[in-house]
Amino acid sequence: MSTSSSGGAPAHERYDALDRPAGDELDAVVRAAAVVAGVPTATLNLFDGTRMCQVSTVGFRGTDSPLTESMCYLAAGSGEPLVHLPDARLVPEYAATPWVDGRAARVRFYASVPLTAPGGHVLGTLCVFDTEPGHLDERQAGALRGLAGVVVTLLERRRDARRAAELAALAEERRVLAAALLDTVDVGIVACDADGHLTLFNRTARAWHGVDADPGAEPADLPVRYDLRTADGGAALAPRDVPLLRALHGDPVDRFPFVIAAPGRPARHVEATARPLPRADGTVGGAVVVMTDVSGHRQSAARAAAALERHEALVRAQARLAEEQQVPAAVAARTCSAAREVVGGAGAAVLEPAAGDAAGDAAGDVAGDVAGGGAGRWVVRAATGDLAALDGSPLALAVPARAAAPAGTGGPAAGCAVVPLRHRGRLRGALLVAPGADGLEAEDLAALEVLAVPAAAALVNARTLQEARRTAAHDALTGLPNRAALLQALQEGLRRQERTGTHLAVLFLDLDGFKAVNDDLGHRAGDDLLVAVAARLRAVLRATDTPARWGGDEFVVLAEGLAVPADAHLLAARVAGAVAGEHAVRGPDGTARTVRIGTSAGVALSAPGPVAGDGAERAAQLVTAADDAMYEDKQARRRTRADEGRGVRGERSGA
C-alpha cells in the first residue's frame, strides 16, 4: 500500500486534508455512508506516516490513533476494493485490534473502502461499523464504493481550490501591474524587477526597439543597449535619467520626453510615465514604465485596455466558477454569464450531449456538429441573452458557428463561437457564445478556451455530487425516497405544519401476500411487484404527498395540507384500493404472470399546532403509531376472513 506521493511528500499534504475541519460536504458523505449501510456509526479516516485521523464521524467522537492499532489501515493494506466483515470477532487479524477486543471499542460488523487517489496512493478509508453483526448486500456495497469515490473527488477539489488560491495571489500581483498601466495612455510597456533587470517588453516596445527584453542586461547599460537618447535626439540618456530606473529608486516620473533611436528604424519621440511596483509587504518589487508616441499612435492603448479588461473579467469568472460547484444548472448559468462578461458576447449557452456522447472531440468537429443542429445530439442546459430562447430545448436550430482558434490566427468570428468543454480528456459539453457589436477576436476565443477548463470541471463535480446525494436518499429498486429521506421530509413537514395550521398524516402500508409471491415465483417476481406498487403509489397520490419505501414490503406515505382528519382516512382507502389487486410480474422462467395481493394500512395524524419536543423524535413516534395502526388493520382483516370462513362452513354443515 502506497501512502506517499512520488515526490516524497505525504499524499494527504497535497490535499490539505489533516488537522483541519472536514467541512459540510465530507460530513454529508459520511452521514450518507451510515444511511446506506443501515448502521449508526461511520467515519472518514486519513493516514499519515504514523497515525490514523478520524476527520469526520457519525455516531461517536473521533480521535487519532497509531496506524499499528488501526483496523482501517489493516484493511487498506489488503489491497481489496472493499473489506466486508459480518463479524470482526471471527477474523483473527482483526479480532486482536483494540477496536474489536474492547480496548477502544467492541466492533462486530465492519466494512471499509480505501480512498485511492488518481495516482494510486491510498489516503485513508471510508468506514462503517456496528457493535452487532451485520451484512451489506451488493447494492449497499456498490453505493459505499461510490461514496468513497465522491470523497476522493471532494479531496481533489480541495487540492484544486488551494491551487486556485495560489493562482489568485499571482493574478493579484499582476493586477497591480495592470492597474498602474491603466493610469496612463499606454503604448509601449516595459517592466523590471527589484534589481533593475528587465522582465517585460510588450509588443509595441519590441517593435520600437527591434529586440526583446534582455534580463541579463545591467541597469547601467540600458541607455546604450536600447538606444535611449535625450529629447533632442542627440546624446545618450544618463542611467540616472532612465524613467524606469528613476521610478525603481522612488522617483515617480510623469510625461518624461526622450527618443528611441533603434538602428535602421526612424527615431521615435515618446513621453514616459513610470511608477514603482509595491509588494504586499510595502517593499518595492520592481517598476513599470508606459511610453506614449507623441506622434499620435494611440489606437493600441484602447486595445491594451480591452485586453486588460478581458483578463480581469476572466480572473473574476474563474473565481466565481470555483465557488459555484453545487447545482449543475447554477454552474451552467454562471458559465454563460462569465463567458459574456469576458468577451462582451450578446448571448451564451451551455450545451451537453443528449445521450452522453457527441459527434466529435476536436473543436472543429464540435462546431460542425452544433452548426448543423446536432441532429438532436445536443441539449441546451442554460442560455442567456440573444440565445435565451434555446434554454432547456434540444438544439434544433442551425447556427453559423466556428470553433475556437489560437490567438492571432484571424479577425472577428463570422458567427457564434463554439468551445468544447473537456474534463480529464473527455468531452463533457460545449460553450456557445454569440458575438456582440464588436464581434469576437482571436484573443476572445483564446480567453473562452481558458474559461472552459474550470467550467468543465465545475460541471462534472456538480453532477457527481448531485448523483451522490440522489443515490443516498433513494431506494435503489423502486426509485422512491428511502427511510432516512422520509424521516427528514417528515421533520420538515412538521415544521411547515406549524405555519400552515393544516393536518398532517402518515400512512403505513404493508403488502398482504407478498411473501407468497416471493416464495412461489422467486425474488425477481418480488422485485417486479415492489416496482409496480411504487408506480401505483406515484399515480394515485397528490403532487404534495411523499411516498417512500420503508423496507421489505412496507411503504410509508407522508400526506401534508389536509383540511380535516377524515381526509387522511379517505386518502388511505384510496391508496390501499389502488395498490391491492392484480399485478403483472415475471415468473422464474421469465414468462409473464399475474399475482393478486391485498394491503393493510394504518394512519397516524398530527394535529395543527406547535410540535412539542424534538422533531426527529416526533417523526419517529408518528411512523410507529402508523405502523401499530397498520398491524391492527391487518389483525382485523384476518379475523374478518376467519369469521367469514366459519360462516361458510356452518352453512354447509346445516345443509
Side-chain angles (χ1 to χ4, degrees), residues 411-500:
C416 294
V418 179
V419 183
L421 298 176
R422 298 188 186 90
H423 182 65
R424 295 184 179 176
R426 290 184 57 194
L427 182 64
R428 308 290 185 164
L431 175 60
L432 180 65
V433 181
D438 296 330
L440 294 174
E441 301 286 348
E443 290 80 2
D444 294 323
L445 301 178
L448 290 175
E449 286 184 329
V450 174
L451 177 65
V453 175
L459 282 169
V460 170
N461 289 340
R463 294 215 174 277
T464 300
L465 186 59
Q466 182 185 59
E467 179 60 23
R469 287 171 173 166
R470 192 202 69 79
T471 300
H474 286 77
D475 174 56
L477 176 63
T478 63
L480 294 178
N482 58 21
R483 179 182 301 202
L486 184 280
L487 289 174
Q488 180 63 36
L490 180 51
Q491 293 181 56
E492 294 171 359
L494 288 171
R495 288 193 291 269
R496 283 192 293 271
Q497 184 188 27
E498 294 183 7
R499 300 191 302 270
T500 62

Side-chain angles (χ1 to χ4, degrees), residues 330-592:
V331 174
R334 180 61 62 86
T335 300
C336 291
S337 300
R340 294 181 64 192
E341 180 182 359
V342 169
V343 302
V350 170
L351 319 179
E352 289 185 344
D357 58 3
D361 188 33
D365 295 338
V366 175
D369 196 37
V370 171
R377 288 184 293 271
W378 294 92
V379 174
V380 181
R381 297 303 184 193
T384 61
D386 287 353
L387 302 180
L390 300 178
D391 196 1
S393 65
L395 188 64
L397 175 66
V399 292
R402 84 171 196 179
T409 61
C416 294
V418 179
V419 183
L421 298 176
R422 298 188 186 90
H423 182 65
R424 295 184 179 176
R426 290 184 57 194
L427 182 64
R428 308 290 185 164
L431 175 60
L432 180 65
V433 181
D438 296 330
L440 294 174
E441 301 286 348
E443 290 80 2
D444 294 323
L445 301 178
L448 290 175
E449 286 184 329
V450 174
L451 177 65
V453 175
L459 282 169
V460 170
N461 289 340
R463 294 215 174 277
T464 300
L465 186 59
Q466 182 185 59
E467 179 60 23
R469 287 171 173 166
R470 192 202 69 79
T471 300
H474 286 77
D475 174 56
L477 176 63
T478 63
L480 294 178
N482 58 21
R483 179 182 301 202
L486 184 280
L487 289 174
Q488 180 63 36
L490 180 51
Q491 293 181 56
E492 294 171 359
L494 288 171
R495 288 193 291 269
R496 283 192 293 271
Q497 184 188 27
E498 294 183 7
R499 300 191 302 270
T500 62
T502 58
H503 291 270
L504 177 149
V506 175
L507 283 59
F508 203 105
L509 304 176
D510 181 81
L511 307 184
D512 299 335
F514 174 80
K515 184 176 184 302
V517 173
N518 224 27
D519 292 345
D520 296 345
L521 299 180
H523 292 295
R524 181 165 64 176
D527 287 350
D528 287 349
L529 180 55
L530 292 173
V531 171
V533 168
R536 290 196 184 180
L537 284 176
R538 293 189 185 97
V540 74
L541 289 173
R542 304 170 304 166
T544 56
D545 298 331
T546 303
R549 185 184 176 194
W550 190 252
D553 62 341
E554 296 175 334
F555 295 83
V556 175
V557 176
L558 167 61
E560 300 183 55
L562 301 176
V564 294
D567 289 344
H569 296 283
L570 291 174
L571 179 62
R574 186 169 74 250
V575 170
V579 171
E582 294 184 345
H583 294 265
V585 299
R586 292 170 294 175
D589 57 356
T591 60

